[in-house]
Amino acid sequence: MAALLLTTTVAQAKIWRVNNNFGVRADFTQLNEAAINQQVNAGDTIYLEGSSTAYSGFNLYKRLVIIGPGYLLSGTTGNAGLQANPNSATITMYVDSLASGSVFMGLDLTANMHGGTDNIRFERCYLSIGQWTTGRIMSNLVINKCFIHSHRFTTYPTENLEVTNCIFETSVSYMAGMNSLYRNNIFFNAHLTISNAYISNNIFVGSNFTPTSCTIKYNLSSGNNLPAGNGNVNGVPAGSLFVGGSSRDGKHMLSATSPARGAGEPIEGITPDCGAYGTPDPYRLSGIPPIPTIYELTVPASVPSTSSVLPVIVSTRSNN
């Protein structure tokens, strides 16, 4: 991913902060303000910081790298302790073809894609994605390590869509697609309608699956919806697959004795695990972006007037 960001941004690219919390001094308070500002150039990076208030929705007409803090950072179904600020960055965007080449990461994002929007990457996002109005064919979209709660591509054709290491809790509609890939995903209580795709190393639990003109290999299902042969296995007990627990994404990690271990499609002599956690670059809890984060911050409530020292403890980690 570091290589991707270096490729996406040029040497002169700049980093900007956006934060809508009261009293915080950032470059902008809303993402739309940054996106339309003439000083923010195509290829710049924007850090959209966590907030209890959603950011204002808008239309994106510029190629940008937009990075948030992750999602599911608190609560009984979340993963506490990953960020000192437990708030996600929530935003709805209409992505125009002029924003082709953009990267979105670590966001709670609703993305509506316009036709002709190409070479977009969504990574480590809590993602709802669909198509906006009508338009030309949409090409070369990458959706990687996302928790997806809406996935609908039915308005106009999409080609070379790559969906890997994601967790789905939603209906999946991908019709009129061409030359696309769904690999190492988990479909949990999902309903899928997919055409013209290569589908491998996935796990289907409590999910309906209607494929059309698809190649389907080395998948596992708790039901009986996979075609026979090609390494597909039906009737796998759902309780044998995952570690379980309360974390909405962490509960889908493979158990030590999971039948999904070593059940994937062999590649160059290596047999991978199935599911979102089943590759050398697996799904990451809460979509924490691959940049350093502050996961704990201790600041005293008050300091004596005679003190010349402010004791602050900052705990950080890298997330590559």
Side-chain angles (χ1 to χ4, degrees), residues 23-280:
V24 175
R25 296 183 63 181
D27 298 302
F28 304 94
T29 58
Q30 293 292 339
L31 184 56
N32 60 322
E33 296 172 358
I36 65 175
N37 191 285
Q38 293 184 358
Q39 296 184 63
V40 178
N41 296 314
D44 282 1
T45 295
I46 294 176
Y47 289 129
L48 191 65
E49 299 176 5
S51 174
S52 59
T53 304
Y55 287 89
S56 300
F58 72 107
N59 295 357
L60 181 63
Y61 297 104
K62 186 182 295 183
R63 175 174 59 86
L64 295 170
V65 177
I66 303 174
I67 303 176
Y71 51 85
L72 299 177
L73 297 170
S74 63
T76 57
T77 61
N79 304 293
L82 296 180
Q83 294 278 24
N85 178 356
N87 294 309
S88 58
T90 303
I91 184 74
T92 296
M93 277 187 282
Y94 294 82
V95 184
D96 187 78
S97 59
L98 293 174
S100 291
S102 292
V103 177
F104 304 95
M105 187 183 305
L107 302 167
D108 182 344
L109 174 63
T110 298
N112 301 290
M113 310 298 296
H114 194 278
T117 304
D118 304 325
N119 304 307
I120 300 288
R121 187 176 186 94
F122 300 93
E123 181 151 350
R124 309 188 194 204
C125 288
Y126 186 75
L127 182 63
S128 171
I129 187 167
Q131 292 172 316
W132 166 38
T133 67
T134 59
R136 304 184 308 277
I137 190 170
M138 189 168 60
S139 302
N140 304 322
L141 269 68
V142 174
I143 304 175
N144 178 246
K145 296 190 285 289
C146 291
F147 194 106
I148 300 176
H149 58 101
S150 181
H151 177 88
R152 186 174 179 84
F153 292 111
T154 57
T155 305
Y156 42 84
T158 306
E159 66 178 3
N160 300 330
L161 170 68
E162 182 179 307
V163 184
T164 55
N165 296 94
C166 293
I167 298 173
F168 286 79
E169 287 188 359
T170 184
S171 295
V172 178
S173 298
Y174 177 69
M175 301 303 295
M178 296 171 285
N179 192 34
S180 295
L181 173 70
Y182 287 80
R183 184 169 62 200
N184 276 101
N185 303 293
I186 294 171
F187 299 97
F188 186 74
N189 295 333
H191 303 282
L192 297 90
T193 306
I194 299 177
S195 67
N196 301 308
Y198 193 97
I199 301 170
S200 68
N201 299 7
N202 302 289
I203 299 175
F204 300 84
V205 177
S207 299
N208 298 323
F209 182 31
T210 305
T212 302
S213 301
C214 292
T215 299
I216 305 170
K217 293 184 175 182
Y218 293 90
N219 302 280
L220 277 67
S221 175
S222 64
N224 190 31
N225 51 14
L226 298 175
N230 289 325
N232 297 308
V233 181
N234 286 302
V236 178
S240 69
L241 289 164
F242 308 122
V243 296
S246 61
S247 168
R248 194 171 171 192
D249 53 358
K251 67 182 180 183
H252 296 297
M253 291 181 179
L254 300 183
S255 65
T257 58
S258 175
R261 291 192 178 274
E265 181 176 10
I267 301 175
E268 297 182 353
I270 298 174
T271 304
D273 299 337
C274 291
Y277 293 92
T279 66

